[in-house]
């Protein structure tokens, strides 16, 4: 039996990959509303003979299982879109629906590639009569950093041995570690309303408290670790300027390399909120909404993934695709393009060369993802492949345009091959799986999902 068998399965599924990429792109749904996307994926997997497992508390999340015995391989798929990033497949900003959602992070590609890889591995188990179980995980609400946290809380990952994941990007690269831990909290201030001109002395402004809190948080930035990030927004609850507002809300997010850092910084922000309430004679209530962990490193797993990233043939593009990519790149800030060229040490428009193995140390993943929680439950990998031109950033209209094009689809097919090839190794080389699991066990720590009903 050869790895080529599973790669041939991926090739046979290219039409399905294209169909899935386009269906999800044409039906963008933001986190918490992914009904059509989840149903589409469930139906495809059901036709392929997978058993669908839902959970009543995670409406648009599920897993689909095929096979029996170990290893139980989880393949993570996402499909939520982003608000306000609707965009046609063209090189000028032009939404399909004004202010509508769009796949500006490429999750239409992410879910589709993972779907195809799961089916390719399922067909391998079927034809070769091999032991092992494949689970495709339909993971909602990734952009809210909550979907996999909820799935963890409700035990949906129980029984898995290892997880395979990927993400769209500007180049082919494996990450040993990445994704910052993150937590969200809202601070509800309550004061006393009054006429802002006739009797201002009678009021106690909740909005003043929010503004003072934000000032305090900005001074805190100097006194936290340099790799931490503090974000906030404010809501005056609709009060007009001529009323001293009795209610206002500050919404905070904190990111840092480790969850313990996040918790420490959030504790200090809570004290700032209490100080702001004291200064304004208001009351404050803190509500931790949710949070996600950083991704735990697993070098043995990254090594295996890197081998397969190098082994699977990268996309080849037509002249028309390259012209589209170059025109899309020309719409960008030149500094963004220069940054990516420096990072990869290449000046390609579509960068298909494999990024150097240690690149993640110089350019870590500074975003956050609920995939980090999965890495606390079992070994998990992540890698990127080119799905948009160098310089394009996720969460941009250029990314939406690229992920709706054949360039994006070719990236998804490439990613499906890498996932399927890595899954093949995990199924056929027990020593590789054991090495990965030994490293995971050596660094295993306690884990509790940051979620509450």
């Amino acid at each position: 039996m050869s790895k080529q068998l599973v790669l041939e399965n991926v090739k046979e599924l290219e039409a399905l990959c294209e169909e899935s990429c386009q269906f999800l792109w044409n039906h963008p749904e933001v986190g918490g509303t992914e009904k059509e996307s989840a149903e589409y994926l469930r139906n495809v997997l059901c036709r392929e003979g997978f058993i669908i497992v839902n959970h009543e508390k995670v409406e648009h999340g599920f897993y689909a299982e095929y096979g029996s015995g170990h290893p139980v391989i989880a393949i993570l798929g996402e499909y939520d879109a982003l608000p306000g990033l609707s965009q046609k497949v063209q090189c000028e900003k032009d939404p399909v629906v004004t202010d509508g959602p769009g796949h500006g992070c490429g999750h239409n590609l992410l879910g589709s590639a993972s779907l195809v890889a799961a089916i390719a591995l399922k067909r391998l188990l079927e034809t070769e009569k091999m032991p092992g179980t494949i689970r495709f995980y339909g993971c909602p609400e990734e952009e809210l950093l909550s979907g996999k946290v909820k799935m963890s809380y409700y035990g949906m990952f129980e029984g898995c041995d290892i997880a395979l994941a990927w993400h769209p990007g500007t180049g082919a690269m494996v990450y040993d570690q990445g994704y910052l831990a993150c937590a969200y909290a809202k601070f509800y201030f309550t004061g006393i309303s009054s006429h802002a001109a006739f009797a201002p002395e009678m009021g106690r402004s909740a909005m003043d408290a929010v503004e003072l809190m934000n000032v305090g948080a900005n001074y805190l930035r100097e006194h936290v670790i340099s790799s931490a990030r503090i974000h906030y927004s404010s809501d005056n609850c609709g009060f007009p300027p001529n009323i001293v507002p009795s209610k206002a809300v500050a919404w905070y997010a904190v990111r840092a390399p480790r969850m313990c850092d996040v918790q420490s910084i959030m504790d200090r922000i809570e004290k700032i909120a209490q100080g702001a309430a004291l200064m304004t004679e208001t009351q404050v209530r803190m509500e931790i909404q949710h949070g996600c962990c950083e991704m735990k490193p697993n070098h043995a797993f990254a090594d295996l993934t890197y081998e397969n990233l190098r082994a699977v043939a990268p996309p080849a593009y037509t002249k028309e695709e390259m012209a589209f990519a170059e025109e899309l790149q020309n719409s960008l800030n030149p500094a963004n393009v220069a940054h990516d060229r420096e990072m990869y040490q290449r000046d390609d428009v579509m960068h298909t060369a494999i990024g150097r193995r240690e690149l993640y140390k110089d350019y870590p993943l500074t975003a956050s993802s609920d995939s980090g929680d999965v890495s606390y439950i079992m070994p998990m990998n992540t890698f990127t492949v080119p799905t948009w031109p160098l310089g394009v950033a996720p969460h941009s209209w250029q990314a939406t345009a690229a992920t709706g094009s054949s360039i994006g689809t070719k990236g998804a097919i490439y990613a499906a091959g890498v996932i399927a090839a890595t899954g093949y190794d995990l199924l056929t080389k027990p020593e590789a799986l054991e090495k990965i699991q030994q490293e995971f066990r050596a660094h295993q720590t306690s884990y509790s999902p940051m979620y509450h009903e």
Side-chain angles (χ1 to χ4, degrees):
M1 183 174 58
S2 163
K3 187 179 291 185
Q4 190 60 32
L5 288 173
V6 76
L7 293 177
E8 288 173 2
N9 288 346
V10 171
K11 187 169 183 59
E12 291 173 2
L13 291 162
E14 285 184 3
L16 173 62
C17 191
E18 181 176 2
E19 174 199 296
S20 178
C21 289
Q22 287 302 305
F23 180 90
L24 297 176
W25 191 87
N26 286 317
H27 299 82
E29 299 169 300
V30 298
T33 70
E34 310 98 318
K35 181 178 180 180
E36 286 189 81
S37 301
E39 278 304 299
Y40 169 82
L41 295 168
R42 286 189 186 103
N43 288 337
V44 172
L45 289 157
C46 189
R47 290 196 301 268
E48 279 288 332
F50 283 77
I51 296 171
I52 309 299
V53 180
N54 299 303
H55 195 290
E56 62 178 2
K57 296 290 188 178
V58 189
E59 184 178 3
H60 304 305
F62 66 96
Y63 69 84
E65 184 174 274
Y66 180 88
S68 61
H70 291 272
V72 180
I73 300 174
I75 300 175
L76 308 182
E78 299 163 13
Y79 35 83
D80 57 330
L82 288 158
L85 282 180
S86 177
Q87 169 64 29
K88 297 175 182 176
V89 181
Q90 61 183 47
C91 298
E92 294 180 354
K93 188 175 182 181
D94 188 7
V96 177
V97 177
T98 301
D99 297 326
H103 276 287
C105 206
H107 290 184
N108 62 312
L109 311 177
L110 200 167
S112 299
S114 296
L115 170 76
V116 165
I119 294 172
L121 287 166
K122 170 261 179 184
R123 291 183 178 181
L124 181 74
L125 294 182
E126 191 174 38
T127 56
E128 299 299 319
K129 311 299 182 187
M130 296 169 59
T133 304
I134 304 301
R135 284 186 183 180
F136 172 90
Y137 274 87
C139 305
E141 301 177 27
E142 191 280 335
E143 296 293 356
L144 302 178
L145 304 180
S146 59
K148 298 182 194 70
V149 182
K150 290 181 183 178
M151 296 172 85
S152 300
Y153 181 83
Y154 292 114
M156 294 180 71
F157 292 109
E158 289 179 5
C160 292
D161 295 310
I162 196 163
L164 296 162
W166 79 285
H167 201 282
T170 53
M173 182 172 160
V174 174
Y175 286 86
D176 282 41
Q177 61 191 42
Y179 294 133
L180 299 178
C182 183
Y184 282 80
K186 284 190 174 182
F187 297 85
Y188 296 91
F189 288 89
T190 303
I192 301 171
S193 62
S194 182
H195 195 291
F198 184 75
E201 73 281 3
M202 302 296 292
R204 299 293 182 269
S205 173
M207 195 64 212
D208 285 354
V210 165
E211 292 188 347
L212 285 168
M213 177 185 175
N214 294 342
V215 170
N218 285 328
Y219 276 98
L220 176 65
R221 294 180 194 278
E222 184 184 357
H223 306 288
V224 298
I225 56 175
S226 59
S227 52
R229 300 287 186 271
I230 301 172
H231 322 291
Y232 64 78
S233 64
S234 303
D235 180 5
N236 75 344
C237 299
F239 284 91
N242 65 337
I243 298 176
V244 175
S246 62
K247 295 185 183 300
V249 182
W251 190 7
Y252 271 73
V254 175
R255 303 179 199 259
R258 299 177 302 167
M259 180 53 75
C260 59
D261 298 321
V262 169
Q263 292 169 331
S264 174
I265 294 168
M266 195 64 86
D267 286 345
R268 297 179 73 181
I269 289 175
E270 182 180 14
K271 292 176 182 176
I272 290 170
Q274 292 167 348
L278 182 64
M279 285 189 286
T280 54
E281 297 183 67
T282 59
Q283 303 295 317
V284 64
R285 175 176 62 87
M286 178 186 181
E287 178 187 273
I288 293 286
Q289 295 185 297
H290 58 267
C292 60
C293 295
E294 73 278 12
M295 190 177 81
K296 292 185 67 175
N298 192 299
H299 302 303
F301 202 176
D303 290 342
L304 181 65
T305 306
Y306 187 68
E307 290 175 12
N308 286 294
L309 192 63
R310 294 185 65 86
V312 176
Y317 305 105
T318 65
K319 290 181 179 179
E320 292 77 15
E321 287 168 338
M322 289 302 294
F324 172 74
E326 189 168 0
E327 190 177 352
L328 197 61
Q329 191 181 69
N330 289 338
S331 72
L332 301 169
N333 183 333
N336 295 347
V337 181
H339 173 273
D340 277 11
R341 286 175 174 165
E342 178 186 358
M343 179 172 69
Y344 289 109
Q345 299 179 2
R346 305 276 296 197
D347 60 1
D348 315 48
V349 176
M350 291 300 300
H351 177 57
T352 56
I354 309 300
R356 66 185 192 274
R357 183 69 179 79
E358 70 282 3
L359 192 63
Y360 76 93
K361 295 178 182 176
D362 298 324
Y363 298 95
L365 286 169
T366 54
S368 301
S369 173
D370 55 10
S371 295
D373 280 57
V374 178
S375 75
Y376 269 74
I377 300 169
M378 67 187 105
M380 193 201 84
N381 73 337
T382 194
F383 66 94
T384 60
V385 301
T387 55
W388 44 64
L390 282 181
V392 169
H395 296 210
S396 67
W397 67 262
Q398 290 94 341
T400 307
T403 60
S405 74
S406 57
I407 287 172
T409 298
K410 285 184 174 181
I413 293 168
Y414 180 25
V418 176
I419 295 171
T422 308
Y424 173 91
D425 287 339
L426 296 172
L427 288 166
T428 61
K429 299 177 181 177
E431 68 280 4
L433 176 61
E434 177 57 26
K435 183 178 180 181
I436 292 166
Q437 291 181 322
Q438 279 182 356
E439 183 175 341
F440 175 78
R441 290 193 293 268
H443 300 96
Q444 193 167 11
T445 54
S446 62
Y447 166 70
S448 179
M450 188 178 282
Y451 177 74
H452 54 84
E453 295 188 67

